[in-house]
Amino acid sequence: STAPRVDNVTHALAGVLMGEAAAAWVARTPRVASSGIDLAVVRRAAITIGVIGAELPDSDLFYSGDVLNIGQLGYLLHHR
C-alpha cells in the first residue's frame, strides 16, 4: 500500500510550508530585519521544526499495534 508513504510526504510538505511561512513572517519583523540575525539559519530551523512537528502525528507507530497487542484494526482506530 502506498498510503502511509503518501501520508508522510504530505505531512512533511505541510511542515515545510509552515516553516517557510514562519521564516517569511520572522524576516518581515522589523526588529529581526535590523538585528543582523542570519535569516538562512532561521529558515532552516523553522523548516526543521515544522517537518518534525508535522510528522509527530505518526509517532504512535512506535508504541501501538504489536507493542500494545491491538492488531491492525486497533492501530487504525487508535491512529485516526
Side-chain angles (χ1 to χ4, degrees), residues 26-67:
V26 167
R28 287 193 310 266
T29 306
R31 177 187 270 172
V32 173
S34 64
S35 69
I37 293 175
D38 186 2
L39 294 178
V41 172
V42 171
R43 181 175 178 263
R44 234 179 331 215
I47 290 172
T48 300
I49 291 168
V51 169
I52 290 170
E55 291 293 338
L56 280 178
D58 286 331
S59 66
D60 62 348
L61 174 68
F62 298 113
Y63 66 84
S64 62
D66 292 336
V67 175

